[in-house]
Amino acid sequence: MEERNKTLGEFIIENQNAFQYSSGELSRIINSIRLAAKVVNYKVNKAGLVDIVGAAGEQNIQGEDQQKLDVYANEVFIQTLINREIVCGIASEENDEFITVEGSDNSHNNKYVVLMDPLDGSSNIDVNVSVGTIFSVYRRITPIGTPVTIEDFLQPGTNQVAAGYVIYGTSTMIVYTTGHGVNGFTLNPAIGTFYLSHPSMQFSEDGNIYSINEGNYVHFPQGVKNYLKYCQSEEGDRPYTSRYIGSLVSDIHRNMIKGGIYIYPTSSKAPKGKLRLLYECNPMAFIVEQAGGKASDGFGRIMEIQPTELHERVPFFCGSYNMVEKAEEFMHDAKLSKY
Ligand code: AHM
Ligand code: MG
């Protein structure tokens, strides 16, 4: 028989026993995400037809209201997780508050919470640029059988049991980790199946791409300004190449494959940075570390930050280990010289 790549479904079954305390729940969560990703992918790929079928806020030709895609993606992921009765709570970048999930018998017997950004970079959809879904899974802290509380969501990233992203790009991929490395699966749209295409993804220790919104340069902290000058200076393998899509998942995905650093720093305009600790930075940090890279707020490890609120923002530096370490050095030196 012709040999073919493993499917995501086969991979999940094969690896189920590798999970600590495995009871199949985590596998079922990944399975739900796989399903929701396919539904959202279908819709995202039709987005270019918006002029033909009607824009968000208008009615389509069947007289149905069109929804914004990020609202749609949010509903698909939440509904899929609720319908399958596998999580006890969900927090989403699109919702102000977390959602408590009950079983059909009104019980609270599930043990995992999911945090997610259902459609990150959604402003890129109008211009046909890749967007993504980011997700993160934690074991609840409060006792099984009781409704979840905010404590279950405000856990440091080191407590994550799984994290991943879906990239709706030239091809659609799911990339995820359960703490045993990072694997990437590409959707074959003809048959609706994800195949293992990128086993054991790894950041190279060094890279030559830097990704940052340089238009905000004047507002950046001195350490970031100095690091950028270092990236642009002519010495050794420098100057580096600048690549910035403005879609977090795509920028980090590219850097993981090619080697590079992604930075969204604090600025005088956004004193805490822009990206959200719980929905964007922690899951990406888990993936980056599992792929041998490093994720920092400029001074310390992202995953060790104790969150204090659901929608908290943090500065974010992640990518090839040595590049992030170098950026931290610049941050540290600039801080010392300032005070
Ligand atoms: P969003 O969650 O509102 O979509 O914002 C997050 C996005 C990231 O995907 C991207 O890296 C960043 O915002 C780009 O921001 P900027 O346009 O300020 O460079
Ligand atoms: Mg986002």
Side-chain angles (χ1 to χ4, degrees):
M1 212 168 77
E2 199 186 325
E3 212 175 297
R4 62 158 174 80
N5 286 11
K6 233 170 259 166
T7 68
L8 175 54
E10 289 162 357
F11 184 88
I12 291 171
I13 293 166
E14 205 176 287
N15 287 280
Q16 182 165 314
N17 295 334
F19 302 142
Q20 225 183 339
Y21 325 106
S22 170
S23 61
E25 270 169 283
L26 193 52
S27 301
R28 286 167 60 212
I29 292 174
I30 306 287
N31 263 324
S32 306
I33 287 166
R34 171 180 65 156
L35 172 65
K38 282 196 262 189
V39 175
V40 171
N41 174 61
Y42 176 71
K43 199 81 168 185
V44 166
N45 279 317
K46 283 204 320 191
L49 290 168
V50 89
D51 290 340
I52 300 162
V53 297
E58 290 175 2
Q59 288 200 329
N60 66 14
I61 42 174
Q62 283 92 32
E64 296 159 338
D65 284 329
Q66 295 286 303
Q67 270 179 321
K68 284 183 72 180
L69 269 172
D70 40 12
V71 178
Y72 175 81
N74 193 40
E75 282 175 11
V76 170
F77 277 95
I78 291 174
Q79 269 314 319
T80 309
L81 289 165
I82 291 179
N83 289 353
R84 295 191 165 201
E85 297 192 20
I86 34 178
V87 295
C88 51
I90 303 167
S92 162
E93 197 186 288
E94 290 284 329
N95 297 42
D96 292 341
E97 308 289 340
F98 65 83
I99 299 168
T100 306
V101 182
E102 287 182 351
S104 45
D105 54 354
N106 299 334
S107 65
H108 297 273
N109 291 335
N110 291 319
K111 55 176 181 282
Y112 292 107
V113 293
V114 170
L115 289 80
M116 62 174 181
D117 182 353
L119 208 59
D120 182 69
S122 50
S123 61
N124 282 314
I125 288 177
D126 293 346
V127 289
N128 211 355
V129 167
S130 304
V131 289
T133 297
I134 309 170
F135 65 91
S136 174
V137 183
Y138 294 79
R139 199 167 292 114
R140 66 185 300 174
I141 291 176
T142 52
I144 288 179
T146 60
V148 282
T149 72
I150 186 79
E151 261 184 277
D152 295 311
F153 298 93
L154 299 183
Q155 301 190 49
T158 45
N159 288 0
Q160 289 173 102
V161 290
Y165 58 78
V166 185
I167 177 166
Y168 309 97
T170 39
S171 46
T172 292
M173 287 186 72
I174 291 185
V175 173
Y176 79 98
T177 181
T178 53
H180 304 275
V182 179
N183 291 286
F185 301 82
T186 303
L187 179 67
N188 177 343
I191 50 175
T193 303
F194 284 97
Y195 287 96
L196 179 60
S197 51
H198 295 65
S200 303
M201 295 177 81
Q202 280 285 324
F203 270 95
S204 52
E205 274 192 355
D206 296 288
N208 65 359
I209 295 174
Y210 70 100
S211 311
I212 186 167
N213 186 344
E214 231 168 319
N216 293 328
Y217 185 86
V218 288
H219 301 292
F220 288 157
Q222 194 56 44
V224 173
K225 287 181 176 169
N226 295 348
Y227 178 67
L228 290 179
K229 287 293 153 229
Y230 166 86
C231 292
Q232 294 160 355
S233 61
E234 199 168 13
E235 215 185 308
D237 58 347
R238 285 173 279 129
Y240 297 148
T241 296
S242 166
R243 289 282 181 272
Y244 189 71
I245 299 168
S247 191
L248 181 70
V249 169
S250 315
D251 277 310
I252 295 181
H253 183 74
R254 181 207 46 242
N255 289 357
M256 182 152 57
I257 290 171
K258 299 205 162 181
I261 183 170
Y262 173 94
I263 305 177
Y264 207 109
T266 57
S267 69
S268 43
K269 280 199 308 192
K272 292 181 173 168
K274 175 184 185 189
L275 301 177
R276 319 278 179 144
L277 175 60
L278 296 181
Y279 313 114
E280 291 161 332
C281 302
N282 268 336
M284 291 317 254
F286 192 21
I287 293 165
V288 167
E289 285 196 8
Q290 283 293 316
K294 189 173 169 76
S296 162
D297 67 356
F299 299 97
R301 194 176 171 210
I302 282 288
M303 292 210 289
E304 286 177 9
I305 298 172
Q306 173 59 55
T308 54
E309 51 180 319
L310 277 181
H311 294 275
E312 182 168 346
R313 296 173 197 269
V314 281
F316 195 39
F317 298 63
C318 78
S320 291
Y321 196 95
N322 292 342
M323 294 181 91
V324 177
E325 197 163 67
K326 193 75 188 171
E328 279 182 330
E329 257 172 61
F330 276 94
M331 294 301 287
H332 182 75
D333 292 351
K335 196 171 181 182
L336 285 185
S337 61
K338 200 169 160 192
Y339 298 106

